[in-house]
Short mmCIF file of all heavy atoms in Angstrom, two decimals:
data_model
loop_
_atom_site.label_atom_id
_atom_site.label_comp_id
_atom_site.label_asym_id
_atom_site.label_seq_id
_atom_site.Cartn_x
_atom_site.Cartn_y
_atom_site.Cartn_z
N PRO A 1 -18.76 23.22 21.39
CA PRO A 1 -18.62 23.27 19.92
C PRO A 1 -17.77 24.43 19.43
O PRO A 1 -17.01 24.28 18.46
CB PRO A 1 -20.07 23.39 19.45
CG PRO A 1 -20.90 22.86 20.57
CD PRO A 1 -20.16 23.20 21.81
N GLU A 2 -17.89 25.60 20.08
CA GLU A 2 -17.13 26.75 19.60
C GLU A 2 -15.62 26.53 19.74
O GLU A 2 -14.83 26.92 18.87
CB GLU A 2 -17.56 28.03 20.34
CG GLU A 2 -17.22 28.09 21.82
CD GLU A 2 -18.20 27.33 22.69
OE1 GLU A 2 -19.07 26.65 22.13
OE2 GLU A 2 -18.10 27.43 23.93
N LYS A 3 -15.19 25.86 20.82
CA LYS A 3 -13.76 25.58 20.99
C LYS A 3 -13.28 24.54 19.97
O LYS A 3 -12.17 24.64 19.45
CB LYS A 3 -13.49 25.08 22.41
CG LYS A 3 -13.65 26.13 23.49
CD LYS A 3 -13.29 25.55 24.84
CE LYS A 3 -13.41 26.59 25.95
NZ LYS A 3 -13.05 26.03 27.27
N ALA A 4 -14.11 23.53 19.71
CA ALA A 4 -13.72 22.48 18.77
C ALA A 4 -13.51 23.02 17.37
O ALA A 4 -12.72 22.48 16.59
CB ALA A 4 -14.77 21.37 18.76
N ILE A 5 -14.20 24.11 17.02
CA ILE A 5 -14.07 24.69 15.68
C ILE A 5 -13.00 25.78 15.66
O ILE A 5 -12.22 25.89 14.70
CB ILE A 5 -15.42 25.26 15.21
CG1 ILE A 5 -16.46 24.16 15.13
CG2 ILE A 5 -15.28 25.95 13.87
CD1 ILE A 5 -16.11 23.04 14.18
N ILE A 6 -12.92 26.59 16.71
CA ILE A 6 -12.02 27.75 16.70
C ILE A 6 -10.60 27.39 17.16
O ILE A 6 -9.62 27.85 16.56
CB ILE A 6 -12.60 28.87 17.60
CG1 ILE A 6 -13.95 29.33 17.05
CG2 ILE A 6 -11.64 30.04 17.69
CD1 ILE A 6 -14.66 30.33 17.95
N GLN A 7 -10.49 26.56 18.20
CA GLN A 7 -9.18 26.33 18.81
C GLN A 7 -8.31 25.34 18.06
O GLN A 7 -7.08 25.36 18.21
CB GLN A 7 -9.36 25.84 20.27
CG GLN A 7 -10.08 26.82 21.17
CD GLN A 7 -9.30 28.12 21.35
OE1 GLN A 7 -8.08 28.12 21.27
NE2 GLN A 7 -10.02 29.21 21.57
N VAL A 8 -8.88 24.45 17.26
CA VAL A 8 -8.10 23.43 16.59
C VAL A 8 -8.66 23.20 15.19
O VAL A 8 -9.88 23.27 14.98
CB VAL A 8 -8.10 22.12 17.42
CG1 VAL A 8 -9.51 21.57 17.57
CG2 VAL A 8 -7.19 21.07 16.78
N GLU A 9 -7.77 22.92 14.26
CA GLU A 9 -8.18 22.60 12.90
C GLU A 9 -8.41 21.10 12.78
O GLU A 9 -7.53 20.30 13.09
CB GLU A 9 -7.10 23.04 11.91
CG GLU A 9 -7.46 22.76 10.45
CD GLU A 9 -6.33 23.14 9.50
OE1 GLU A 9 -5.24 23.49 10.02
OE2 GLU A 9 -6.54 23.07 8.29
N ARG A 10 -9.60 20.70 12.35
CA ARG A 10 -9.98 19.30 12.19
C ARG A 10 -9.73 18.54 13.50
O ARG A 10 -8.74 17.80 13.64
CB ARG A 10 -9.22 18.66 11.03
CG ARG A 10 -9.60 19.24 9.67
CD ARG A 10 -9.07 18.38 8.54
NE ARG A 10 -7.62 18.35 8.53
CZ ARG A 10 -6.85 19.24 7.89
NH1 ARG A 10 -7.41 20.24 7.22
NH2 ARG A 10 -5.55 19.13 7.92
N TYR A 11 -10.62 18.73 14.46
CA TYR A 11 -10.43 18.19 15.80
C TYR A 11 -10.40 16.66 15.81
O TYR A 11 -9.77 16.04 16.67
CB TYR A 11 -11.51 18.71 16.75
CG TYR A 11 -12.92 18.29 16.42
CD1 TYR A 11 -13.45 17.12 16.95
CD2 TYR A 11 -13.73 19.05 15.59
CE1 TYR A 11 -14.74 16.72 16.66
CE2 TYR A 11 -15.02 18.67 15.29
CZ TYR A 11 -15.53 17.51 15.83
OH TYR A 11 -16.82 17.12 15.55
N LEU A 12 -11.07 16.01 14.86
CA LEU A 12 -11.03 14.55 14.81
C LEU A 12 -9.63 14.04 14.50
O LEU A 12 -9.11 13.13 15.17
CB LEU A 12 -12.03 14.04 13.76
CG LEU A 12 -13.51 14.24 14.07
CD1 LEU A 12 -14.36 13.80 12.88
CD2 LEU A 12 -13.91 13.48 15.31
N GLU A 13 -9.00 14.62 13.49
CA GLU A 13 -7.64 14.21 13.14
C GLU A 13 -6.66 14.57 14.24
O GLU A 13 -5.74 13.79 14.57
CB GLU A 13 -7.22 14.88 11.84
CG GLU A 13 -5.84 14.50 11.37
CD GLU A 13 -5.45 15.17 10.07
OE1 GLU A 13 -6.32 15.83 9.45
OE2 GLU A 13 -4.28 15.04 9.65
N ALA A 14 -6.83 15.73 14.86
CA ALA A 14 -5.92 16.14 15.94
C ALA A 14 -6.03 15.20 17.13
O ALA A 14 -5.01 14.82 17.74
CB ALA A 14 -6.24 17.57 16.37
N THR A 15 -7.24 14.80 17.47
CA THR A 15 -7.43 13.88 18.60
C THR A 15 -6.84 12.51 18.29
O THR A 15 -6.23 11.87 19.16
CB THR A 15 -8.92 13.74 18.91
OG1 THR A 15 -9.47 15.03 19.18
CG2 THR A 15 -9.14 12.86 20.14
N SER A 16 -6.96 12.07 17.06
CA SER A 16 -6.39 10.78 16.67
C SER A 16 -4.88 10.79 16.78
O SER A 16 -4.27 9.85 17.33
CB SER A 16 -6.82 10.44 15.23
OG SER A 16 -6.21 9.25 14.80
N GLN A 17 -4.23 11.83 16.28
CA GLN A 17 -2.77 11.91 16.36
C GLN A 17 -2.29 12.00 17.80
O GLN A 17 -1.29 11.39 18.18
CB GLN A 17 -2.28 13.12 15.56
CG GLN A 17 -2.53 13.03 14.06
CD GLN A 17 -1.78 11.87 13.42
OE1 GLN A 17 -0.66 11.55 13.81
NE2 GLN A 17 -2.40 11.25 12.42
N LEU A 18 -3.01 12.76 18.61
CA LEU A 18 -2.64 12.89 20.02
C LEU A 18 -2.80 11.55 20.75
O LEU A 18 -1.96 11.20 21.59
CB LEU A 18 -3.50 13.96 20.68
CG LEU A 18 -3.22 14.24 22.16
CD1 LEU A 18 -1.79 14.72 22.35
CD2 LEU A 18 -4.20 15.28 22.72
N ALA A 19 -3.83 10.79 20.42
CA ALA A 19 -4.03 9.49 21.06
C ALA A 19 -2.90 8.53 20.70
O ALA A 19 -2.44 7.76 21.56
CB ALA A 19 -5.38 8.91 20.63
N GLN A 20 -2.42 8.56 19.48
CA GLN A 20 -1.34 7.67 19.07
C GLN A 20 -0.04 7.98 19.82
O GLN A 20 0.64 7.09 20.33
CB GLN A 20 -1.13 7.79 17.56
CG GLN A 20 -2.30 7.30 16.73
CD GLN A 20 -2.08 7.50 15.25
OE1 GLN A 20 -0.95 7.38 14.75
NE2 GLN A 20 -3.13 7.81 14.51
N THR A 21 0.31 9.25 19.88
CA THR A 21 1.56 9.63 20.57
C THR A 21 1.46 9.37 22.07
O THR A 21 2.43 8.93 22.70
CB THR A 21 1.87 11.11 20.31
OG1 THR A 21 0.76 11.91 20.72
CG2 THR A 21 2.12 11.35 18.84
N THR A 22 0.30 9.63 22.65
CA THR A 22 0.13 9.38 24.09
C THR A 22 0.20 7.90 24.41
O THR A 22 0.77 7.49 25.43
CB THR A 22 -1.22 9.96 24.57
OG1 THR A 22 -1.28 11.35 24.25
CG2 THR A 22 -1.37 9.79 26.07
N LEU A 23 -0.38 7.06 23.55
CA LEU A 23 -0.32 5.61 23.75
C LEU A 23 1.11 5.12 23.77
O LEU A 23 1.51 4.34 24.65
CB LEU A 23 -1.12 4.91 22.65
CG LEU A 23 -1.19 3.38 22.72
CD1 LEU A 23 -1.95 2.93 23.96
CD2 LEU A 23 -1.85 2.82 21.47
N ARG A 24 1.93 5.59 22.83
CA ARG A 24 3.34 5.17 22.81
C ARG A 24 4.10 5.70 24.02
O ARG A 24 4.91 4.98 24.62
CB ARG A 24 4.01 5.66 21.52
CG ARG A 24 3.52 4.99 20.25
CD ARG A 24 4.46 5.27 19.08
NE ARG A 24 4.54 6.70 18.80
CZ ARG A 24 3.77 7.32 17.92
NH1 ARG A 24 2.84 6.65 17.25
NH2 ARG A 24 3.91 8.62 17.68
N ALA A 25 3.82 6.94 24.40
CA ALA A 25 4.57 7.54 25.51
C ALA A 25 4.25 6.86 26.83
O ALA A 25 5.15 6.59 27.63
CB ALA A 25 4.24 9.03 25.59
#
């Protein structure tokens, strides 16, 4: 939990964007 809050802003949105780009790649 500490990494999900400190290391990235809005981890849900970040994971969604990363999944989209990875799927295309």
Side-chain angles (χ1 to χ4, degrees):
E2 67 279 7
K3 290 183 179 180
I5 299 300
I6 298 174
Q7 299 296 332
V8 61
E9 180 183 7
R10 294 193 296 272
Y11 64 90
L12 292 175
E13 182 180 352
T15 304
S16 176
Q17 295 297 324
L18 181 60
Q20 295 177 35
T21 56
T22 304
L23 181 65
R24 292 194 299 267

